[in-house]
Amino acid sequence: ALVSRGVKALLLACNTATGACIKDIREKFAIPVVSIEPAIKPACASTDEGRVLMLATLATTRLVRYRALVSRMPDPARVVSVACPGLADRIERGIFAANAFDDLLERHLAPYHGMTVSGIVLGCTHYPFIRGAIARYANRHFQGACRIYDGADATAKQLGRVLRDNRLENDHGSGRVTFLTSGDPAVYGPLFQMLRGK
């Protein structure tokens, strides 16, 4: 559907979708396809003391691609993969308040209370919307720096490089944003409004 609209490149801004189908999409379409991956590498490069908590959907934590990424880290055992069912669903309902996720974070992170944590990787592209909630919870329950890592900036830079390398940049005229969803537009409206405001 997107290719039929004439897009010049695709960005799969979902770790689960990337792991499930990036190879097939790249083989099927002649346009550049950029994918995202969790920011585990910069988190593991930190010299801060402690473990790296990687928060993601259950599907992402089970992907071969994700497990291979962790295995390439200098100390794979430093990475603690935490599946967080329910977070993305609540975010998609337009809930972003810092105090609106304590119950779910407690459910998933209680076993790690008191742990020294150098970094927390937001391994789902929904999670940056609740960065404040995650940081708030971490500061209450963990030791260490608890730096938040998000792969979005690196992915955006990679998309820029791909557009330049393929001579697809357009620095003239004006752009517009169109939101499309396979779900109920009324449900996703608050999320779209938040994105439009950025």
Side-chain angles (χ1 to χ4, degrees):
L2 294 172
V3 171
S4 71
R5 288 174 169 261
V7 297
K8 60 187 177 182
L10 286 173
L11 169 58
L12 266 64
C14 173
N15 291 304
T16 303
T18 294
C21 64
I22 185 70
K23 184 174 181 287
D24 293 337
I25 290 176
R26 284 182 171 149
E27 288 174 357
K28 182 170 183 174
F29 299 108
I31 60 175
V33 180
V34 176
S35 64
I36 192 166
E37 67 179 26
I40 294 174
K41 187 174 180 181
C44 287
S46 166
T47 57
D48 292 324
E49 181 183 349
R51 306 291 290 276
V52 171
L53 293 182
M54 209 295 285
L55 312 185
T57 64
L58 181 59
T60 291
T61 62
R62 291 179 172 172
L63 290 169
V64 172
R65 181 183 175 102
Y66 167 69
R67 292 181 180 180
L69 174 64
V70 173
S71 73
R72 293 193 302 271
M73 295 303 106
D75 179 8
R78 184 180 179 194
V79 179
V80 179
S81 301
V82 183
C84 299
L87 286 183
D89 293 334
R90 191 170 291 179
I91 293 164
E92 286 184 356
R93 294 200 317 263
I95 299 169
F96 311 115
N99 63 354
F101 291 86
D102 287 345
D103 60 328
L104 290 174
L105 293 171
E106 182 75 14
R107 183 183 310 161
H108 304 308
L109 297 174
Y112 310 105
H113 282 185
M115 178 183 282
T116 299
V117 175
S118 63
I120 300 172
V121 178
L122 305 182
C124 170
T125 51
H126 288 66
Y127 298 173
F129 291 106
I130 60 165
R131 178 187 295 261
I134 293 169
R136 174 179 176 268
Y137 187 89
N139 289 333
R140 291 179 173 187
H141 298 290
F142 303 127
Q143 305 297 315
C146 295
R147 297 184 200 284
I148 304 285
Y149 293 87
D150 169 13
D153 286 343
T155 303
K157 287 176 184 171
Q158 173 63 9
L159 176 61
R161 283 191 292 271
V162 167
L163 292 176
R164 279 192 303 278
D165 291 348
N166 287 277
R167 294 190 171 98
L168 294 171
E169 279 186 309
N170 181 5
D171 56 3
H172 301 292
S174 60
R176 69 177 191 280
V177 175
T178 302
F179 293 101
L180 306 171
T181 178
S182 58
D184 182 350
V187 171
Y188 295 110
L191 192 59
F192 295 159
Q193 287 303 317
M194 182 178 180
L195 288 168
R196 194 178 302 280
K198 288 194 171 208

